[in-house]
Structures are given as C-alpha cells and as structure tokens.
Amino acid sequence: MKSLICIKQSNESGEMNLFDTHAIEEALKLKQKFENRGYQEDFSVDVVTIGPSENSKIIKRAFGMGADKGYHVITKERGYSFSFETASRLAAVAKKESYDLILTGIMSQDLMAGQTGPMLAEILNLPCVTGVVKTELAADNSSIKVEQEMENGFRNGLEIILPAVLTIQAGINTPRYPTLSRMLAAGKKEIMTFNETDLFSKKTGAVQAREIFVSMEDPQKTRAGHLLQGSLADKAKQLFTVLHGKALI
Amino acid sequence: MKQILVIAEMLDGVIQPATWEITAAAAKIKKLKESGQIKIIIPSDDPLPIAKETAKQTGMDVIGLKSNDLKDYDSDVYKQCLFKLVKTIDPSHILTAHTSQGRDFAPGLAISFNAASIACVNEIKKDDKGLLYSRSVLGNTKNMIVRPAEGIPVVLTLMPGVFQPDNFNNQKKGRVEICEIAFDPDCSNTRRIRHEKILQKSCENKTLKGAKIIVSAGRGIGKKENLDAIFKFAQCFSSSAVGVSRPLVDMGWIGYEHQVGITGAAVSPRLYIACGISGSSQHLAGMKDARFVVSINNNPDAPIFRHSDLCIVEDIDPFLQAFLKVVQTK
C-alpha cells in the first residue's frame, strides 16, 4: 500500500495546515492497523508540499510524525496560489508513483476553498470523497470504507474502490506530536525536490492560472459593533443594563 | 448570449432552499453582465414534477437532468451527467451552493469543463474589466477578490446564507425541458463509490433551535474546564442554551448537539452571546439571524466584532465573573 499526503504551510501561522496534520495522522493510523494485520507488504506514507524552499520545515515535521518519503515542489512565489495550479502540480508528482490512497486536508486554513483534493482526483481520474470523518481499510485492501460529513449532523457511509482521494475533516483524530528521535533523524533525511520544469514537459508547459488575484479587502460590518468602554466592572454593569433594558435578563 | 446555469441542491428528491439563494446570485450576475439567460438544472431520477413546479414558482427556464443513477447524490454520477449536459450548453457561469454536496462535485466539474473555479463566494461585483468574486479568507479577517482568467467559463460555489432569495416573477411560467443522460461507469461495470448508509450523529439539537438566548463558547475560552463558567453564565438567563463553535466539538470538549454553524445548527435566538469565538464564516452562517449579538473576546481584531451589536474586549473568565457579581447585586 502506498499513500501520499498533500500538505501545505499556512500563510497565516507558518505552521503546517491544521487539516493536513489530521490527514497525516489518519494515514499513520491506517498504516498501524495494516501492519498489525501482519501483511508482508509495506504501507508507506509519503508527503508532498509546494512552495518556497523554506517550506521544507513542514516536511521535516511530517517525518517527525512518522512519514516515510518527502517531496517538495519548489516554487518562487510566496503567498497565495489557486487550487487549480496546486492540484495540477500535485497530480504531476502523484503520477510518478502509483499511489493507492491520496489524502489532503479538507481545506487550507488560510484560503479555505477546499478545492485542491477534488481537483487533484479529477485530474488523476480517481474517485474522491470530501469531508471524511472516519476511515477503515477493507480486509483485502481493495477499497476503503469512510464516513463523510454532511449538514445537520448527518453522515454518509460510503465505500470507495482504491485508488482514491479523500479530503480529511478535523475531528477525525488527534494528530500526534513529532517525536524527538524522529525529528533528529528528519534533519538527515533526504527530501526529493522538483521545480516546475521537472514536472511539466516543454510541450505542455507550466500550469496556466485560471483564477486571478485582484485584491484583499476588509469585510464589511453587518451590525453596529458598539464597543463598551471603561473598567472591567463598568463593562459588566453596562452589559447588564443593556440586556435588562431589552428585557433579556 | 451565454447561459448562467444554477445547479439545484437536491436532498432525498426534494429541492433545497439553498437553490433560491443561488438563483438570486445568478440574477445578480445577469444584471451586472447585462446579458445572459438563467437556467435551473434539476438533477434527479424523476425531475419532471419538480421541474414543472420550479418553472411555475420562479418564472425561469428549468432543465430536468434525468438519470436513474441520480436518485441519490454520488459525486461520480453528478460530475459525469452534469459535464455531458453542460458541454452541450456551453454556459458562461455554473453556480451551486457551497454545501457538502456542492463543494464535493463542483471543483471536479470545473476541471473537466476547463473552467475557472471559485469557492465560497460571498459577494459578486464588477469593475471595468468584468465581474469580480469575493471570498472570505484568513479566518474571515479578509475578503479576497478574484476574477476568472479571460475567455473561460467559471464554476462558482456560493456561501450559504449570504445571498437573499429574490421575489420571483411568477407572472410568466418558465419553460421545462427534460434531458435524459445515461451514466456509464469507467470500463468495469461497477461504481467507484458505493453508498452504504446514512448515519445521524445526533438527532437532538432541539435545545439550541428553540432557545431564546444562546451563550456560545469558542476556542478563546482557553481550556475545557472553562466551559463550566459558560454554563453558569447561561443560567443567568431564562430559556437559555449553551452553544459552541466547531473546534470545541472536534477537540472532544462537548457534544455535537451544541455546535452552531454551517455543519452544526443554524439558530435565530433573541440574544446570542459569543464568548471567545473568533467568527469564522462557517460559524457566522449559523448565527447571523440572531436578533441581538454580544461578543466578548480579548482580541480587538476578532472578525466576530464586525458582526456584533455590542463588543466587549476582555478576557472571558474575569469578565464573566464580573458579570455574575453584577447579577448577584440586582
């Protein structure tokens, strides 16, 4: 079994995207269960990220958690890249090996689009389930049972034929912390790097962006936003007065 | 004149209200573009009755996308059938709701249709170069304004609860067309995704739904033990309930039945007090209909303050204690 986990460094925190840590944890748990069943075959957990060279720190963190191989597509641009470009680059890396299972976080914390996983699946022509909150590999490893989060507390119980792409929702597990011994070993571990020209032939050329960033704006206020002033006790009194005046307390 | 397609949100064979929000967004696009024709697509195994009703109700043209495999949602079936239909129409825009279904199939549809894809759209505007789409980013502290690359169609998923449904012109009746499209699974004769069962995590969020006053806690309360203070605070009010933002449920601090937001309960109490909640767009979607909103947060830049009537910049615990003292003296 070969798994590939797509991870991203958050533009906000500089850390690994929270949902991606859940994706790595889920792969490591699947690996553990797989090995406990005593198969001869290995279960590998590889990670891939895209971004400037300093982003390799999140690959090291993934090694510290227990990941096997690390791939890094080095791009010059900092900041935001759109899902289509990301998914195209990830697909080019994923095609280099035949992965049975590809996991991503349900979305990035910074851009919150949740498109990379399903786009990657479509480019690779694989089935995809988004918002996964439970996984269980079938006994013959040919499929995986998952629960997909829907609205209003409902969950869809699905079985997907492998290879497949799953996007992982928070709450599915508690991501482990990297161990010290693994972190020390991670420093020496090789990360395989690619740049755009390694991934795309001259004929096809680099990925053409389909979305264009225009600007960042402050969201508009939807309510009055009256700010209470004064000491802590003053504010507590003012709140009581306002709520009492509205017959809410 | 290129068409603007609305893909209806279907659940158990019933058209969902989110569809009318997407239709309103489509009407806005048509108005800003000063061209285009809106068509509502209803994917179903038996779309005719729903299509007729929708055409009557909205006055818009409706296409019933018919396939036996469209009875329940399946991303492979949706993507393939929609792609086959959309290809023949060649629209400028494809709109759907940013729900668990919409965000599941729309990005893949955009790939096969070679379209731009913009998720979680919360506003549509234009400048001299064309239409612009706004989406909430960075924990709802900013809106990113995006435009599709020139000359390609765009797939949009729209944030639920943002676009107000229009009053439809039902003087005239829209036309109804049924398109039957067969789903064929890749090479083998089996589907790649098998549907086993629908599970319900909790059926009891009645407490939140009926509450007149909701006191909600977010990550900003610091630790699980501080939930006790939130419950105590809630007891100051009659007919109150305790809500929380998603991370608290994910961390296992409290049950799902308390979760407010897009994946939890949508509430509309007379008073909503947000304690230590930063205000993600997902949370706001669940509490925007509250009549009066008070927010307490030690971060003066927390996005929730933009969506509050009363803002209190304080640490939660000391503030709640101070408030309880005031209550005791009254």
Side-chain angles (χ1 to χ4, degrees):
Chain A
M1 282 293 277
K2 286 183 169 187
S3 72
L4 178 67
I5 324 305
C6 309
I7 61 176
K8 170 181 171 172
Q9 182 169 8
S10 168
N11 279 298
E12 262 184 308
S13 63
E15 300 299 324
M16 194 193 305
N17 178 42
L18 178 81
F19 300 102
D20 302 346
T21 64
H22 288 283
I24 294 179
E25 178 63 35
E26 200 58 21
L28 293 171
K29 280 179 128 174
L30 286 168
K31 178 189 171 101
Q32 182 99 56
K33 280 189 203 153
F34 184 89
E35 286 172 352
N36 288 347
R37 291 195 309 212
Y39 290 108
Q40 289 296 310
E41 202 194 336
D42 282 338
F43 190 115
S44 62
V45 178
D46 298 347
V47 295
V48 56
T49 195
I50 300 169
S53 49
E54 63 264 28
N55 284 21
S56 62
K57 85 171 216 197
I58 64 163
I59 296 185
K60 296 215 164 112
R61 187 180 168 91
F63 285 158
M65 288 174 77
D68 298 303
K69 277 192 274 179
Y71 298 101
H72 187 171
V73 181
I74 298 186
T75 56
K76 274 188 225 115
E77 77 244 38
R78 259 157 254 268
Y80 314 109
S81 67
F82 288 96
S83 316
F84 172 65
E85 294 148 73
T86 304
S88 303
R89 289 168 180 151
L90 290 172
V93 175
K95 276 179 194 161
K96 291 184 183 291
E97 298 228 22
S98 55
Y99 286 104
D100 303 290
L101 191 59
I102 301 178
L103 305 184
T104 71
I106 185 175
M107 61 176 138
S108 67
Q109 283 167 285
D110 46 13
L111 297 187
M112 300 157 72
Q115 299 189 116
T116 300
M119 283 185 169
L120 172 63
E122 196 65 25
I123 296 170
L124 296 173
N125 189 25
L126 297 179
C128 176
V129 179
T130 56
V132 169
V133 285
K134 195 177 174 185
T135 69
E136 194 191 334
L137 209 50
D140 67 353
N141 303 316
S142 69
S143 67
I144 189 163
K145 285 188 179 187
V146 303
E147 286 180 19
Q148 174 184 42
E149 188 180 65
M150 314 291 282
E151 282 77 13
N152 300 319
F154 285 98
R155 288 176 172 198
N156 241 341
L158 306 167
E159 184 173 2
I160 305 101
I161 294 170
L162 297 180
V165 177
L166 308 178
T167 81
I168 303 295
Q169 175 62 284
I172 188 171
N173 55 36
T174 310
R176 68 195 65 187
Y177 284 102
T179 62
L180 186 62
S181 60
R182 281 217 181 95
M183 278 314 274
L184 289 172
K188 293 183 209 117
K189 227 170 156 169
E190 196 196 349
I191 296 172
M192 277 155 282
T193 58
F194 303 103
N195 56 40
E196 199 94 347
T197 49
D198 300 328
L199 292 181
F200 302 100
S201 68
K202 279 216 176 91
K203 218 167 94 192
T204 55
V207 194
Q208 290 292 311
R210 291 182 181 174
E211 297 86 14
I212 298 155
F213 170 83
V214 178
S215 61
M216 284 289 197
E217 289 181 356
D218 287 327
Q220 282 180 345
K221 273 185 168 188
T222 59
R223 290 176 190 258
H226 177 67
L227 182 69
L228 292 189
Q229 306 284 350
S231 70
L232 181 70
D234 288 343
K235 289 180 193 169
K237 269 183 223 153
Q238 287 176 63
L239 177 62
F240 185 88
T241 311
V242 171
L243 298 183
H244 194 66
K246 290 181 174 291
L248 292 166
I249 192 164
Chain B
M1 188 171 61
K2 291 229 173 178
Q3 297 186 6
I4 302 163
L5 301 183
V6 168
I7 302 171
E9 171 95 358
M10 302 295 292
L11 191 68
D12 295 332
V14 179
I15 197 161
Q16 298 298 300
T19 309
W20 315 129
E21 296 179 10
I22 322 163
T23 311
K28 181 149 193 197
I29 289 172
K30 183 179 168 178
K31 198 173 153 200
L32 290 172
K33 269 187 26 153
E34 292 164 23
S35 75
Q37 188 195 359
I38 300 170
K39 277 198 178 154
I40 301 173
I41 297 178
I42 296 176
S44 169
D45 58 332
D46 180 24
L48 187 62
I50 312 164
K52 275 185 176 164
E53 179 59 32
T54 305
K56 196 175 134 195
Q57 204 184 324
T58 62
M60 289 182 191
D61 292 347
V62 179
I63 301 174
L65 173 58
K66 186 176 164 141
S67 170
N68 287 337
D69 294 291
L70 283 167
K71 188 171 187 302
D72 293 308
Y73 174 77
D74 176 296
S75 63
D76 277 348
V77 179
Y78 256 61
K79 281 185 290 190
Q80 194 189 100
C81 293
L82 282 167
F83 174 64
K84 286 177 178 169
L85 174 69
V86 160
K87 214 171 45 175
T88 64
I89 299 175
D90 189 27
S92 60
H93 291 75
I94 302 170
L95 278 66
T96 193
H98 194 82
T99 52
S100 60
Q101 278 181 27
R103 64 168 164 71
D104 197 60
F105 74 81
L109 183 62
I111 293 290
S112 49
F113 193 50
N114 290 320
S117 183
I118 305 173
C120 255
V121 170
N122 61 16
E123 204 188 340
I124 302 164
K125 307 192 281 189
K126 76 168 179 182
D127 67 1
D128 50 359
K129 284 192 220 144
L131 294 195
L132 299 170
Y133 305 94
S134 162
R135 49 185 313 275
S136 163
V137 295
L138 302 172
N140 205 21
T141 56
K142 292 282 173 190
N143 279 332
M144 185 192 262
I145 312 298
V146 182
R147 82 165 85 249
E150 216 182 311
I152 58 171
V154 60
V155 173
L156 305 170
T157 60
L158 302 152
M159 191 70 190
V162 173
F163 295 89
Q164 290 302 314
D166 286 329
N167 292 321
F168 295 113
N169 163 26
N170 46 16
Q171 301 287 307
K172 77 173 183 54
K173 208 163 118 186
R175 278 173 303 177
V176 174
E177 191 185 330
I178 298 292
C179 281
E180 203 160 344
I181 288 180
F183 170 72
D184 67 276
D186 272 3
C187 9
S188 68
N189 255 334
T190 50
R191 286 219 209 156
R192 303 189 294 185
I193 301 175
R194 276 196 290 273
H195 290 252
E196 299 217 305
K197 57 194 168 204
I198 305 251
L199 308 109
Q200 197 168 16
K201 200 162 159 189
S202 160
C203 45
E204 284 300 318
N205 55 14
K206 279 184 197 142
T207 5
L208 275 179
K209 289 232 157 156
K212 291 202 175 74
I213 289 158
I214 294 176
V215 175
S216 268
R219 222 197 288 253
I221 65 165
K223 52 183 180 190
K224 187 182 175 183
E225 289 66 37
N226 290 346
L227 271 175
D228 295 344
I230 300 291
F231 274 94
K232 221 166 154 190
F233 179 46
Q235 280 163 15
C236 299
F237 307 93
S238 61
S239 184
S240 68
V242 169
V244 294
S245 63
R246 171 164 194 139
L248 271 57
V249 177
D250 283 343
M251 290 187 290
W253 289 9
I254 195 166
Y256 169 78
E257 63 277 12
H258 291 275
Q259 187 177 315
V260 174
I262 219 161
T263 48
V267 296
S268 46
R270 289 168 62 194
L271 171 63
Y272 191 87
I273 309 183
C275 305
I277 290 176
S278 66
S280 69
S281 42
Q282 284 85 349
H283 186 79
L284 294 173
M287 47 68 79
K288 65 177 175 51
D289 294 329
R291 208 177 300 165
F292 194 73
V293 177
V294 177
S295 290
I296 311 160
N297 204 300
N298 59 9
N299 172 13
D301 298 321
I304 190 94
F305 286 139
R306 287 205 181 89
H307 311 284
S308 303
D309 297 288
L310 213 58
C311 309
I312 300 162
V313 182
E314 285 293 347
D315 288 328
I316 306 298
D317 211 40
F319 181 80
L320 295 189
Q321 283 176 33
F323 187 83
L324 287 174
K325 253 187 216 159
V326 178
V327 174
Q328 277 154 17
T329 57
K330 297 287 169 179

